Amino acid sequence: MAVRTPTSHIGTTAPDSRSSMRRSLEDEVQYVKGVGPGGTQLLGKLGIHTAGDLLHHIPRRYEDRTSFRRISDLRVGEFATISGRVVAADNQSTSRRNFAITKVLVDDGTAAAQLVFFQQPFLLKQFQEIQRTGRWIVVYGQAKRGGYGPIELERIEWEELNDDTDGLSTNRIVPIYPATEGIRQERLRKIADAVLGSHLEAVQEPLPPSILLKHKLMDARSALRNVHFPSDFATLRAAQRRLVFEEFFLLQVGLARRRAARSTEEKGYQFLSDTGQLRQDLNSMVPFELTGAQKRAIDDIVADVRTGRPMNRLIQGDVGSGKTMVAVAAMLLAVRSGFQAALMAPTEILAQQHAIVLRQLLEPIGIPVELATGSKNGKARQFAYQNIASGMSSIAVGTHALIQDEVQFHRLGLVVIDEQHRFGVLQRQALHKKGDTPHVLVMTATPIPRTLTMTLYGDLDTSIIDELPPGRKPIKTHWKPSSDAPNVYRAMQKLLDRGRQAYVVCPLVEESEKLQAKAATQLAEHIQSDLLPSYRIGLLHGQMKPDEKDDTMRRFKARELDVLVATTVIEVGIDVANASVMVIEDAERFGLSQLHQLRGRVGRGEHASYCILLADAKSDGARTRMHVMAETNDGFKIAEEDLKLRGPGEFLGTKQSGLPEFYIGDLIRDNDLMDETRRAAFSLVESDPNLIKPEHQRLQKALERTKLGYELIHVS
């Protein structure tokens, strides 16, 4: 079949009637050649509204149409691009009502392949017309065994290919774009070519010449041209690297400037930092030696609060690593310096647990702790708020109730935010604004992979607690099929007979908290009546009243209950040293990080501890999660695996996290480039904090235009 050779003038489509006007990347997309009003509506579904959006609508993959795969050479399981003539097309009925399969036979002269389309009967007429005219098609799909017949292709993308096909679609590396119904790839390529011709000259180079030279980067215009229509794969990789570098670099320059501004402009409280007194206080509270990692984190905090600039530090520590003692040290520094400290937790249960622990530690040395939660009644709430406002209470612990207008502080010098990823940006800002640039300590027991830390908290100083306190035993984790549940509960019974206690986590129900509570109630009844009838079974779920939750937890801690059946409300904040076994029902419904958090509720005492995952994991992802949990207790390794499995958005679980949306960069694939851009950005900002040098003017303008949203990352 004859095809035209590729055009050598990519991006030089003839200008339209607006050619005499100055082009702008903000020009509406309808004025790009080939778009028009109808195309504008379709492109809008893809988030494309301007010429700049179109230039940055990056292909999601590429097909090498310089040489197609021969059908006779296809191997089962591989994704490949073929071309051939349609020789047959038919719709086949199935036993399922209203379910159609369209099968199309394509022959390239070496063999035939059968294309399989599900629930697309309308395609039959198109393929019959293509067959009648003898036109060829290009097909991308996955090869699978077709029984005794020809090899089959599934998960197919296709388009016509004939003598009239333009040079953007043949004999070259062809871009395949994110698309929407109603706009085909051939048209998207023509529109991309048109915008390159009309608007590429409007692209300004934001990166300084020194950065381009040092990091061997293609210029911006060449990168955009070649990411759409590369001449070869080496050039494509260079173009992609350049665009990812720019995207990450802008983020890191913004973070570096924020940190630089804070260190030079913002004034903070200077705490008295008598380390001798601090060690004496800490030694009087706990009978054990702090770990080296805890001491290093405390030293970091002491250094921060001595400077007279506001501390902004992230403390990362795995489940049970002792972050609370680090927070206590920071609070002691605040109180001994005449200030108040506030600790905000995401749930009432966690806030109550913190208040109990802090009172046990601090009140014996004369430091009062106040609990402020939304469930307190009128008089009790008013009394708590008065103590905080007057300064009678040196430390306030609470939920989002702390950020309500009626809560006022006497002299707030330190804000501690626990499990910070559970708070929205505005909630964090509101607590921070309760004082006059207080020091901020952010804690998380959800290990965050380094790439995400650099992205989300790149302007925060970070301390990692990567040691467990002495005496903590690793938790033994086993994955069992659901059919083994009777054996699992019999094994649990043996531990209960030795005086241990157990958690049973009810299956995750996404629809509502009410359904979740119902599932937990039914599971508790089943365990009580059918599995462990002679033991004391408790129930904890989010629909219970606060005093009911408190009473259940008190009874469990007092060993008045043997087994606590609970929803994920126990994910954080529950600390019962005698609980040494956890069974997680339908564990395949949970994510890796959540499973790891749940598991961390056991292994807190001197006894050997166990976590049993009851799961019929049928998907590859579910099986991978179960294997990872069984193989390691290292929260940071688990977080890395979780990030790979779910991606950054799902890993963080909320848009409020402030995670920037990258148009081409990928935090997993491009993690090395994030490292490189971070070093480059912080070095540049150190030499020119306000970007006032002439060679940095375009970088400054690019930062002002950026859509990355890194202004949301920090609490200030």
Side-chain angles (χ1 to χ4, degrees), residues 376-388 406:
K376 281 196 169 186
N377 60 37
K379 286 186 178 179
R381 183 188 301 132
Q382 200 60 37
F383 183 73
Y385 292 172
Q386 285 173 358
N387 285 343
I388 295 170
E406 56 188 313

Side-chain angles (χ1 to χ4, degrees), residues 93-114:
S93 59
T94 67
S95 57
R96 289 173 57 185
R97 187 179 177 186
N98 298 324
F99 188 82
I101 298 177
T102 303
K103 292 191 174 182
V104 178
L105 199 63
V106 175
D107 194 311
D108 69 350
T110 69
Q114 190 158 252

Side-chain angles (χ1 to χ4, degrees), residues 113-348:
Q114 190 158 252
L115 316 183
V116 182
F117 300 89
F118 298 101
Q119 284 296 81
Q120 300 178 68
F122 54 87
L123 290 177
L124 179 61
K125 187 175 290 187
Q126 285 181 256
F127 282 115
Q128 287 177 335
E129 175 63 17
I130 293 170
Q131 179 186 358
R132 187 186 66 78
T133 57
R135 297 196 299 272
W136 283 48
I137 63 172
V138 173
V139 182
Y140 174 83
Q142 185 177 29
K144 60 170 288 187
R145 200 173 304 283
Y148 295 106
I151 197 165
E152 291 184 351
L153 289 179
E154 288 187 345
R155 299 165 70 178
I156 293 163
E157 294 175 6
W158 69 280
E159 62 183 277
E160 293 183 43
L161 182 63
N162 53 55
D163 290 346
D164 297 324
T165 299
D166 65 273
L168 301 175
S169 303
T170 58
N171 287 2
R172 64 171 304 110
I173 297 170
V174 176
I176 306 297
Y177 292 92
T180 187
E181 187 176 351
I183 188 163
R184 300 195 63 171
Q185 290 293 330
E186 185 176 355
R187 185 179 179 191
L188 280 172
R189 287 192 281 272
K190 288 179 178 178
I191 292 171
D193 182 43
V195 78
L196 286 168
S198 61
H199 284 80
L200 188 62
E201 294 302 309
V203 173
Q204 299 294 311
E205 176 59 73
L207 300 184
S210 59
I211 293 292
L212 292 173
L213 184 64
K214 181 177 180 180
H215 297 274
K216 300 177 181 177
L217 298 171
M218 190 181 288
D219 68 88
R221 293 174 185 171
S222 296
L224 283 169
R225 183 183 297 110
N226 284 289
V227 84
H228 285 284
F229 298 103
S231 56
D232 54 64
F233 281 105
T235 305
L236 170 61
R237 285 190 292 272
Q240 290 171 326
R241 178 177 177 271
R242 152 61 211 236
L243 295 175
V244 174
F245 187 101
E246 177 184 325
E247 195 168 35
F248 287 179
F249 185 74
L250 288 175
L251 169 68
Q252 294 298 339
V253 168
L255 294 172
R257 290 190 71 196
R258 177 178 295 146
R259 179 180 287 192
R262 198 166 54 229
S263 65
T264 57
E265 297 170 12
E266 290 186 7
K267 299 299 182 184
Y269 300 124
Q270 189 166 10
F271 287 177
L272 304 174
S273 50
D274 185 340
T275 53
Q277 179 63 50
L278 179 61
R279 290 195 191 97
Q280 186 177 326
D281 285 337
L282 293 174
N283 289 337
S284 71
M285 293 177 191
V286 291
F288 51 82
E289 182 81 4
L290 298 183
T291 65
Q294 286 174 306
K295 291 176 181 177
R296 287 192 296 273
I298 292 171
D299 288 344
D300 290 339
I301 292 168
V302 170
D304 288 343
V305 299
R306 279 176 171 169
T307 63
R309 295 187 298 271
M311 171 178 70
N312 281 275
R313 182 165 292 277
L314 170 68
I315 302 290
Q316 280 203 74
D318 208 344
V319 177
S321 61
K323 294 179 302 302
T324 300
M325 287 308 300
V326 174
V328 166
M331 293 177 184
L332 280 169
L333 289 170
V335 174
R336 297 299 191 202
S337 303
F339 295 92
Q340 290 173 293
L343 189 158
M344 186 164 73
T347 67
E348 286 211 3

Side-chain angles (χ1 to χ4, degrees), residues 694-709:
E695 63 267 30
H696 296 158
Q697 293 302 296
R698 285 182 175 174
L699 176 60
Q700 171 70 38
K701 290 180 180 178
L703 278 170
E704 292 169 0
R705 292 193 305 268
T706 185
K707 296 178 181 178
L708 290 176

